[in-house]
Amino acid sequence: LGLFDPIEDQPYWHIQPEVVNNNSSKNHSLFAALSSMILLKNDKNLLPFPKGKMVAVIGPHSLAQAGLLGGLNYLGGICPTDDYTCVETPFHAIQSLNEGGITTTTPGCAISGNDTSGFAYALSVAQAADYVVLMLGIDSTIEGEGLDRTDIDLPAIQHQLVQAVMKANKPTVAILINGGMVAIAEEKETVPAIIGAGYPSFYGGKAIAMTIFGDNDHLGGKLPYTIYPKEYASQIEMIEMHMDVAPGRSYRYYTGTPLYPFGYGLSYTTFSFLPSQQSVNPIRLRTGKTEGNYKKQMAGIVITNTGTVTGDDVVFFYMVPGKLEVQTKSNLIKQLFYFERVHLEPGQSQVVEVEISPKVFQMVDVDSGDIVSTPGQFYISATNGVDQNVKFSFLLVGDEVVVEKFPR
């Protein structure tokens, strides 16, 4: 934040009042919220919902205002009244976009606790509707600075609410409002559509509504973390600092089966990946620390929107170790080193390329802590985290080189 730097070097001291909350700033905020929506499940293309129907918005986040803003840490003034009443709730945003239809709501239950007295009414509201939106998740009563979780599961009362509402057998989407990941194994099996919204901020309600009704041309968010099974929290030691101790941490080392993997996220359209150029397979590079000891090599794909609507996708480039000539004792599964988001209309294509140098293949020797360039087989995986994956084969030749010694 630059709090100890001279004021002339702090850009936030020089923001002019007229740019605060102007139309450009508002549009950027809405764009960020729309772009961050993550479509986790959409069985039989249930979404988007049609407008003009009877929609029931059910769940503890249905009327969320402060809850859309996250843990409420480090927030400045949001509303002129110095509270959160100017934040549009998901219910009101859905009601506003559901032109010609009827929108109803009930919380059903609180974020946590044991009170199930609202379940029966929630079921009756769902039964009367054509479509159901479940507003689930956590808030600053569950997580925040100085409030760590020991349980990563969605609160049990909300699992029970979902079970009750799904008895209505109506087309249903679950919206997750959360910062840290929540395990949703039951909902993954029983709810036909799921959207991860994170803490979507001031325009979160509007972004959720626009996504549900198909007005989000920038839908294409990807998970920034792994959603583990709820048992994961008891399978690791929080004081264990080694990432690769079983079952491993993050997409780089986790050997279990996640509920949803890092980088996952669907779209209302479809995409295809093809190599951008033909290349010798494998491509040979020399080990080493200098950037000038190799012929420039590129790995790239052509991404095409093969569907019928405009949308976003993300191209992730991972380094994947293959058969190595020197045992580095690394349990690395893969390493993200570049990504790029693209926005494509139906039928439109774009080339996404990245330069590949020996640095991309450097790994850490887990015994010494040194960063090494080691000979052997490697792969570059260009993927959207869902159903597209183009692989490039590389062969590093030469001796193992210590690129950077671990400080001792």
Side-chain angles (χ1 to χ4, degrees), residues 166-186:
M166 290 306 294
K167 292 177 182 177
N169 197 30
K170 294 300 174 76
T172 302
V173 58
I175 311 294
L176 299 175
I177 304 295
N178 61 289
M181 56 132 300
V182 289
I184 49 167
E186 294 91 334

Side-chain angles (χ1 to χ4, degrees), residues 14 17 49 75-76 283 321 407:
H14 305 290
F49 287 166
L75 282 179
I283 301 170

Side-chain angles (χ1 to χ4, degrees), residues 303 313-317 338-342 350-353:
I303 176 174
D313 207 1
V314 179
V315 184
F316 298 96
F317 286 88
Y338 181 76
F339 65 91
E340 186 172 328
R341 185 166 181 151
V342 296
Q350 182 174 326
V351 175
V352 179
E353 291 185 319

Side-chain angles (χ1 to χ4, degrees), residues 59-264:
H61 273 302
S62 298
L63 296 174
Q65 292 177 304
L68 298 179
L69 304 174
L72 307 184
N73 291 314
Y74 313 117
L75 282 179
I78 299 297
C79 303
T81 50
D82 200 27
D83 54 20
Y84 305 102
T85 55
C86 67
V87 179
E88 187 176 36
T89 72
F91 163 70
H92 288 101
I94 292 169
Q95 183 183 52
S96 177
L97 283 185
N98 188 25
E99 300 169 355
I102 298 173
T103 309
T104 58
T105 189
T106 182
C109 67
I111 291 290
S112 58
N114 302 306
D115 185 0
T116 62
S117 61
F119 283 13
Y121 181 65
L123 176 58
S124 67
V125 170
Q127 288 172 329
D130 300 309
Y131 295 89
V132 175
V133 180
L134 286 167
M135 294 299 309
L136 311 172
I138 53 181
D139 63 9
S140 59
T141 66
I142 301 291
E143 64 175 358
E145 188 165 344
L147 184 60
D148 296 331
R149 295 184 294 160
T150 58
D151 185 352
I152 61 174
D153 199 17
L154 185 71
I157 190 70
Q158 295 187 52
H159 285 309
Q160 296 171 36
L161 174 65
V162 173
Q163 289 177 350
V165 171
M166 290 306 294
K167 292 177 182 177
N169 197 30
K170 294 300 174 76
T172 302
V173 58
I175 311 294
L176 299 175
I177 304 295
N178 61 289
M181 56 132 300
V182 289
I184 49 167
E186 294 91 334
E187 289 69 33
K188 182 179 179 181
E189 293 298 320
T190 60
V191 182
I194 303 174
I195 294 174
Y199 288 132
S201 198
F202 187 89
Y203 289 107
K206 185 173 183 178
I208 290 167
M210 290 177 67
T211 302
I212 289 172
F213 289 122
D215 294 335
N216 183 359
D217 284 345
H218 291 278
L219 176 63
K222 303 290 184 176
L223 276 176
Y225 45 63
T226 302
I227 299 185
Y228 302 103
K230 63 182 180 181
E231 297 81 13
Y232 180 77
S234 62
Q235 294 172 342
I236 59 170
E237 292 287 342
M238 287 300 171
I239 59 173
E240 174 57 70
M241 294 294 104
H242 288 282
M243 298 282 287
D244 60 348
V245 172
R249 297 174 188 247
S250 83
Y251 75 91
R252 298 168 68 221
Y253 297 103
Y254 183 56
T255 57
T257 302
L259 293 178
Y260 290 101
F262 167 84
Y264 189 84

